[in-house]
Amino acid sequence: MLKKVRLNKHHLALLLLFVVCSKSFGNDGYKLWLQYRFVENEALRGNYRSYINKLMPLGDSKTIEVAEKELELGLKGMLGLDFLSKPGVGEKSLIFGEKSNLSKDISIQLESDFNNINDEGFIIKSISIKGKNQIVITGNTDVGVLYGVYHFLQLLQSHKPIEQLKIVDSPKLKVRVLNHWDNLDRTVERGYAGFSIWDWHRLPDYIDQRYVDYARANASIGINGTVLNNVNANALILTPQYLEKVEVLANIFRPYGIKVYLTARFSAPIEIGGLPTADPLDLDVIKWWQEKAKEIYTRIPDFGGFLVKANSEGQPGPQNYGRNHVDGANMMANAVAPFKGIVMWRAFVYSEHDTTDRAKQAYSEFVPYDGQFKDNVLVQVKNGAIDFQPREPFHPMFGAMPKTPLMMEFQITQEYLGFSTHSIFLPKLFEEVLKADTYRKGKGSTIAKDIDGSLHNKRLTGIAGVSNIGSDINWTGNTMLQANWYGYGRLAWNPYLSANEIADEWLVLTFSTNESFIKPVKNMMLDSKEAVVNYMTPLGLHHIMDTGHHYGPGPWVSNLSRPEWNPVYYHKADKNGIGFDRTPTGSNATEQYADEVAAKFNNINTCPEEDLLWFHHVPWDYRLKNGKTLWDGMALKYQEGVNQVEHMGKTWDTMEAYIDSGRFNEVKMLLNIQFKEAKWWRDACLLYFQQFSGKPLPDGVEKPTQTLEYFKSLKFPFAPGN
Ligand code: BDP
């Protein structure tokens, strides 16, 4: 028989404990950096509440609606469930709306601030209206207001004071997009976080909540565009059947200030248009693209435009018809120009028929066209001249095309960096690239200045990040890698931010404000990038990953059909030494840099050691700056990388008390895998290179765990992302 239970003090305590525990178990990472954790500190919570008694939205656009919803969600989460629901309390409003909707007495107080923001910028300011203190969040457009709202919520989540607010901020780049390498069958090329989040089969009628949360996450960091499909494109995306689905996504993203773009397959006029050619100078082809653009813009009036990978790795392009990149890009740019669309034309090109150093080919092919592209073309350039390596000297095209807008392409997904099992904080890599000095207009001609337009007075500016997002519950396959999506967005907004600041922000928003957690974990993140370089490709080594999937070491691979796909092409290890001579005695790739930069790279004494083997073929007993021989130094670098990962794991192990067990355990397990794989990299590479150096491992380097034959025998036929 059931007994009636009366709840007493102890029961309530147990219940509370249960609630607290389930909270600490329950975080699956889905909420990313939009956790809106309850502000436990009562005084602070009271302080925040005293500044916001009600929400006062101005205007009735969809964007203002989502801003209000986000404020409600965030404020209720951080300041208490009943918050904002009590009628008639207090008089302090949080006023948010765009400039034209502000009352006169507010506008007057913000006049000078409005001079300092662009179309997407925002102002958050404490002002006094009729003797009352109010907070205003505004901008020239509703989207600016939305960015301000997210920023405001982030202030609260970071426990920052809101007494005297005056924040005026604008994005420095215009086009800030994610590139999804997502296929229509939902596989993701180089994707390591599950399948594509675009459920093409169930679109347009089934709206996954993820689409909305994806838009929220992007808007919260200022990303304003998304290229939905793979650069290796399927023309079907441009058919009405798919455009109907794309239209639905565009409608969902629009209130969040996110435009949709598509990768256009250059041969689409043949494949889905029934034309015999895709020649960009053929009148029927020109007309086909114009009509296709019209069709898309009829559905999606704010469609962003096309991304194109042409004549690269077997993709069709203008060169198939004896035309060039300018012919192809301008033809498509003309088609979208009447609708204010743009074309992002990729510079990632290299050919197996060209026997020159692969690192030289993009520059040779594109720089002569400077000034010939239409105004609405951006040339999209990867950060380095080979391909998203753990460390790569900056791409020589940056700074070198004063009359052509160049947009940066970073890879957020970790194709060459251990996939999503390796915890690496990529803003470190991005920062290094953005700060690199091209010297094209003297000292201080950094890449950040080229892409934000200030170096050469460019009007159109942009940046692209190859997404690391998939259907995994935590989006990125590893909670720590959410920081790379976040950090990419922040650098797209402001390419002068430091990795250090970004790590601080992300940790607070994602996990905790506790300094005992932030400090060690931040250090771990900031060191993680160099750790990977050390255990994979120290001292300028590059592209020695295993075939095809690029998972794990494969420095021995030499049997691929194209020479420049083989690791041996890149490291050139032999009895005499190791490294790729790109100085005038070798491929002379250095001539593509400004004189000052070329001189620095050419001279083995001034070449940064981190790029040594990128530019020089160096004898095994060459003395490094620390007095060690190259062989010993290289072996010690591999060991250092392993030690760093071990240290990362140990640091993380001490963090258990500060965060939920779900994310704690997930990251812990992944760090263990990374540690194992770092040793695998070290052992495989050192055993392989030792065949050439003929020297023993120096003291301090652990003995290999297996034989070279064993490492060579490993096969991964189902490695993800391939
Ligand atoms: C390489 C990838 C390949 C991409 C290509 C690209 O291995 O999957 O299609 O880059 O960027 O890094 O086009």
Side-chain angles (χ1 to χ4, degrees):
M1 207 177 69
L2 279 176
K3 239 171 68 184
K4 231 189 187 159
V5 183
R6 207 177 277 272
L7 287 184
N8 62 25
K9 240 179 22 206
H10 303 291
H11 291 121
L12 285 176
L14 271 177
L15 194 71
L16 192 71
L17 190 72
F18 174 75
V19 172
V20 171
C21 286
S22 60
K23 193 173 122 198
S24 74
F25 287 129
N27 203 322
D28 55 19
Y30 181 79
K31 290 203 250 169
L32 299 160
W33 48 89
L34 301 171
Q35 297 282 325
Y36 302 140
R37 287 184 315 274
F38 187 61
V39 176
E40 307 275 356
N41 180 324
E42 212 179 315
L44 184 62
R45 203 168 63 240
N47 173 280
Y48 284 163
R49 280 171 168 233
S50 75
Y51 282 94
I52 322 154
N53 304 133
K54 61 174 185 259
L55 298 181
M56 202 197 274
L58 307 176
D60 55 6
S61 70
K62 286 237 162 69
T63 300
I64 291 299
E65 244 171 62
V66 301
E68 184 174 9
K69 260 187 139 164
E70 196 72 28
L71 277 169
E72 276 172 6
L73 183 75
L75 295 174
K76 282 181 178 168
M78 293 187 283
L79 305 183
L81 274 178
D82 61 336
F83 186 64
L84 292 173
S85 60
K86 284 193 195 133
V89 285
E91 304 174 301
K92 295 206 175 152
S93 310
L94 184 62
I95 304 167
F96 55 102
E98 60 146 306
K99 189 180 186 184
S100 66
N101 287 322
L102 296 176
S103 67
K104 259 233 168 83
D105 46 348
I106 300 183
S107 313
I108 280 177
Q109 300 185 57
L110 300 175
E111 233 173 75
S112 63
D113 301 317
F114 272 111
N115 295 332
N116 294 323
I117 58 168
N118 59 30
D119 272 0
E120 294 175 291
F122 62 81
I123 301 164
I124 306 177
K125 202 167 179 184
S126 311
I127 57 167
S128 162
I129 310 169
K130 297 195 182 97
K132 276 181 258 154
N133 275 335
Q134 313 282 20
I135 297 173
V136 183
I137 303 178
T138 187
N140 285 312
T141 59
D142 280 343
V143 170
V145 177
L146 181 65
Y147 291 149
V149 161
Y150 276 112
H151 189 86
F152 180 75
L153 289 168
Q154 286 161 6
L155 291 179
L156 302 196
Q157 189 71 104
S158 330
H159 299 186
K160 298 260 168 64
I162 59 167
E163 273 86 82
Q164 277 308 320
L165 289 170
K166 188 182 166 179
I167 302 171
V168 181
D169 198 8
S170 288
K172 296 199 193 306
L173 304 179
K174 289 204 174 104
V175 179
R176 307 180 296 278
V177 293
L178 284 178
N179 285 184
H180 288 269
W181 286 0
D182 293 18
N183 298 313
L184 300 182
D185 63 3
R186 294 193 78 175
T187 56
V188 180
E189 183 155 339
R190 313 309 179 184
Y192 314 105
F195 287 91
S196 169
I197 58 173
W198 318 130
D199 188 351
W200 295 114
H201 181 66
R202 288 196 282 179
L203 277 165
D205 297 311
Y206 183 84
I207 309 295
D208 193 324
Q209 174 62 28
R210 268 204 186 233
Y211 305 148
V212 177
D213 292 328
Y214 168 84
R216 289 176 52 230
N218 280 325
S220 76
I221 48 176
I223 287 173
N224 67 0
T226 174
V227 187
L228 300 176
N229 59 323
N230 193 353
V231 285
N232 298 318
N234 186 323
L236 287 179
I237 192 81
L238 300 174
T239 59
Q241 188 189 2
Y242 278 91
L243 289 176
E244 190 188 4
K245 302 167 194 272
V246 173
E247 180 184 343
V248 167
L249 292 176
N251 292 341
I252 298 170
F253 300 157
R254 186 169 299 112
Y256 294 89
I258 297 166
K259 283 187 185 176
V260 157
Y261 300 75
L262 293 175
T263 302
R265 187 164 158 87
F266 200 78
S267 53
I270 304 173
E271 285 148 20
I272 59 168
L275 296 182
T277 175
D279 180 348
L281 301 191
D282 180 282
L283 291 181
D284 288 333
V285 171
I286 295 172
K287 193 159 149 249
W288 189 86
W289 281 109
Q290 284 170 347
E291 277 168 9
K292 187 49 75 182
K294 207 154 135 205
E295 179 190 343
I296 299 175
Y297 279 94
T298 307
R299 288 179 180 277
I300 310 169
D302 57 351
F303 178 67
F306 295 127
L307 169 65
V308 188
K309 171 175 178 176
N311 294 119
S312 162
E313 300 186 328
Q315 293 296 313
Q319 292 169 355
N320 299 28
Y321 308 96
R323 316 295 183 193
N324 62 37
H325 290 293
V326 176
D327 299 326
N330 287 353
M331 181 272 292
M332 295 183 77
N334 279 333
V336 293
F339 313 97
K340 300 203 165 54
I342 60 165
V343 167
M344 297 170 282
W345 192 267
R346 293 178 88 231
F348 178 68
V349 293
Y350 61 98
S351 159
E352 73 267 44
H353 306 299
D354 191 336
T355 51
T356 51
D357 179 1
R358 171 174 164 186
K360 292 177 76 171
Q361 295 182 26
Y363 179 104
S364 311
E365 224 173 287
F366 275 86
V367 172
Y369 297 133
D370 189 27
Q372 296 183 40
F373 290 99
K374 291 257 157 202
D375 284 354
N376 58 334
V377 175
L378 276 156
V379 173
Q380 181 168 316
V381 187
K382 289 189 181 182
N383 61 275
I386 297 290
D387 199 5
F388 299 137
Q389 296 304 295
R391 170 170 280 117
E392 221 174 317
F394 70 85
H395 202 303
M397 281 176 70
F398 288 109
M401 295 183 78
K403 293 187 223 123
T404 309
L406 298 187
M407 95 191 259
M408 171 64 72
E409 178 175 326
F410 283 132
Q411 194 180 46
I412 312 171
T413 191
Q414 292 170 205
E415 171 181 0
Y416 295 99
L417 291 96
F419 299 2
S420 61
T421 24
H422 292 217
S423 294
I424 302 161
F425 184 55
L426 287 175
K428 262 306 242 196
L429 187 160
F430 303 158
E431 176 187 43
E432 192 174 299
V433 174
L434 291 165
K435 280 191 173 154
D437 197 340
T438 69
Y439 275 86
R440 288 293 176 184
K441 284 178 92 182
K443 194 171 163 43
S445 307
T446 61
I447 291 189
K449 287 189 190 163
D450 190 13
I451 64 163
D452 80 0
S454 58
L455 186 65
H456 297 297
N457 274 321
K458 292 176 185 171
R459 197 185 47 83
L460 187 57
T461 57
I463 187 166
V466 181
S467 146
N468 63 345
I469 298 166
S471 58
D472 279 8
I473 188 77
N474 64 10
W475 302 84
T476 55
N478 172 346
T479 299
M480 294 309 287
L481 307 184
Q482 296 175 353
N484 297 336
W485 176 8
Y486 179 89
Y488 163 73
R490 297 290 290 127
L491 286 165
W493 180 275
N494 179 0
Y496 301 93
L497 286 177
S498 70
N500 185 54
E501 288 166 83
I502 295 170
D504 260 328
E505 289 176 13
W506 178 76
L507 282 167
V508 167
L509 299 173
T510 306
F511 288 111
S512 162
T513 48
N514 192 327
E515 266 301 303
S516 314
F517 171 80
I518 303 279
K519 234 179 128 196
V521 179
K522 183 172 79 175
N523 287 337
M524 168 185 139
M525 287 165 73
L526 293 176
D527 291 344
S528 62
K529 191 255 168 179
E530 207 54 38
V532 178
V533 172
N534 289 339
Y535 66 72
M536 285 188 185
T537 52
L539 298 169
L541 284 172
H542 51 287
H543 217 304
I544 54 174
M545 293 75 192
D546 201 359
T547 299
H549 49 62
H550 299 152
Y551 172 63
W556 45 81
V557 176
S558 62
N559 59 353
L560 303 182
S561 57
R562 292 176 62 157
E564 77 291 10
W565 280 350
N566 288 303
V568 293
Y569 171 94
Y570 296 98
H571 63 68
K572 301 199 185 312
D574 57 25
K575 288 259 172 301
N576 302 322
I578 181 170
F580 198 129
D581 183 1
R582 294 193 162 100
T583 71
T585 54
S587 78
N588 205 14
T590 50
E591 73 176 342
Q592 296 181 334
Y593 290 98
D595 293 346
E596 294 87 335
V597 181
K600 182 178 78 175
F601 288 150
N602 282 338
N603 181 340
I604 196 165
N605 297 314
T606 55
C607 180
E609 251 173 23
E610 58 191 32
D611 297 322
L612 187 64
L613 306 178
W614 190 285
F615 290 113
H616 297 268
H617 191 76
V618 184
W620 292 110
D621 47 16
Y622 170 82
R623 290 279 160 193
L624 295 171
K625 303 219 162 77
N626 62 7
K628 308 257 183 230
T629 64
L630 173 66
W631 167 252
D632 285 358
M634 187 169 116
L636 287 161
K637 277 277 170 204
Y638 271 105
Q639 181 65 46
E640 186 183 338
V642 171
N643 297 347
Q644 284 169 303
V645 180
E646 187 175 24
H647 184 68
M648 285 164 63
K650 286 192 171 146
T651 304
W652 187 257
D653 284 347
T654 62
M655 294 296 123
E656 188 162 10
Y658 301 105
I659 64 165
D660 56 284
S661 57
R663 291 183 296 178
F664 173 78
N665 286 325
E666 175 220 325
V667 174
K668 182 180 162 73
M669 288 187 283
L670 292 170
L671 282 167
N672 277 334
I673 298 179
Q674 186 176 0
F675 182 42
K676 266 194 354 210
E677 295 188 354
K679 288 189 274 192
W680 167 30
W681 266 95
R682 175 199 64 197
D683 295 348
C685 291
L686 290 179
L687 283 171
Y688 171 76
F689 291 132
Q690 196 174 32
Q691 303 177 105
F692 303 100
S693 80
K695 296 175 194 299
L697 291 176
D699 284 350
V701 177
E702 279 162 20
K703 267 235 234 20
T705 48
Q706 297 282 353
T707 62
L708 179 59
E709 286 322 303
Y710 167 82
F711 291 120
K712 281 168 123 175
S713 74
L714 297 176
K715 295 279 171 291
F716 304 94
F718 303 113
N722 196 20

